[in-house]
Amino acid sequence: MAAQQISDAELAGQPAAYWTGVAYEALIAYTRAQQAQKGYTQPQFWLLRNLSENDISPDGEGMTLPELREAMTSYIRPEDDLTAEAEVLVERGWLTRDVEDRLWLTEEGEQARLDLARNAPAIRAALHEGIDDTDYVTTVKVLQQLIRNAGGMAD
C-alpha cells in the first residue's frame, strides 16, 4: 500500500507527540538491530560506558546494578534486563564483580567499549542519510522548544 501524501498544512496540525513517539521507536529499533548484528546489545554498551572512566563514569569506580539503573534512568527501557546483560559481560570477561556486588570494567571491557563505539558513526550516517545537517539542527531546536513549552528541560 502506498503511503498517503500529507500536505504541509495537514502536517502542521498533527500532534508532535505522535511523530516523536514513532521516531523514537523506529530509531531505537534500528540502532538495536544494527548493534545485534555486531553481537552486542545497547544496554551492554551502556554498561561498559557507565563503568569507563574514559567515557560516562566520572571516576571509573565500580557500581552496583541499582546504581547503574539509577545512572541510566533517563534512557534505559522497561524491557532492558541489566542483570542479564551484565552477566553476559561478566562471562565475556569485560566486567568483573567484587565481593560487594559492584561491577568493574576490565581492560578487555575497555577495549570492547572502544571497539563497539566505532559502530556509532555508521549507524548515525545511515539514520541521517538524506538529511542536511542544517535541517537536523533545526529539527533538534524545534524539539527543544517543544520540550520547554511543555515545561520540560531541554538542555
Side-chain angles (χ1 to χ4, degrees):
M1 175 180 228
Q4 178 184 1
Q5 286 291 351
I6 301 172
S7 72
D8 287 356
E10 289 171 313
L11 277 175
Q14 292 192 346
Y18 169 76
W19 287 109
T20 57
V22 171
Y24 173 78
E25 292 300 330
L27 295 171
I28 292 296
Y30 179 85
T31 299
R32 287 181 175 214
Q34 296 304 302
Q35 291 170 328
Q37 286 181 359
K38 300 287 186 180
Y40 68 101
T41 68
Q42 194 171 49
Q44 289 169 357
F45 186 49
W46 289 336
L47 286 165
L48 297 174
R49 293 190 67 206
N50 274 275
L51 291 167
S52 173
E53 66 183 334
N54 299 310
D55 202 333
I56 296 174
S57 174
D59 55 16
E61 292 295 311
M63 297 173 74
T64 64
L65 282 170
E67 290 169 335
L68 285 158
R69 274 189 202 91
E70 178 64 28
M72 298 181 205
T73 193
S74 67
Y75 49 89
I76 194 166
R77 292 175 58 98
E79 68 269 20
D80 293 339
D81 182 349
L82 288 187
T83 302
E85 300 289 3
E87 202 52 46
V88 170
L89 298 180
V90 169
E91 290 171 10
R92 289 181 183 171
W94 296 356
L95 298 180
T96 59
R97 186 176 282 114
D98 66 19
V99 294
E100 295 175 345
D101 218 22
R102 298 176 80 73
L103 293 166
W104 294 82
L105 187 64
T106 65
E107 286 184 34
E108 294 84 3
E110 177 61 13
Q111 186 58 54
R113 182 192 66 79
L114 291 170
D115 293 343
L116 299 178
R118 290 188 184 100
N119 295 317
I123 294 170
R124 183 196 186 279
L127 291 171
H128 286 241
E129 186 176 335
I131 302 169
D132 183 275
D133 281 348
T134 303
D135 290 339
Y136 179 76
V137 169
T138 299
T139 300
V140 171
K141 287 180 178 181
V142 168
L143 291 171
Q144 289 173 329
Q145 187 60 49
L146 286 168
I147 293 165
R148 284 190 293 274
N149 290 349
M153 299 289 291
D155 300 323

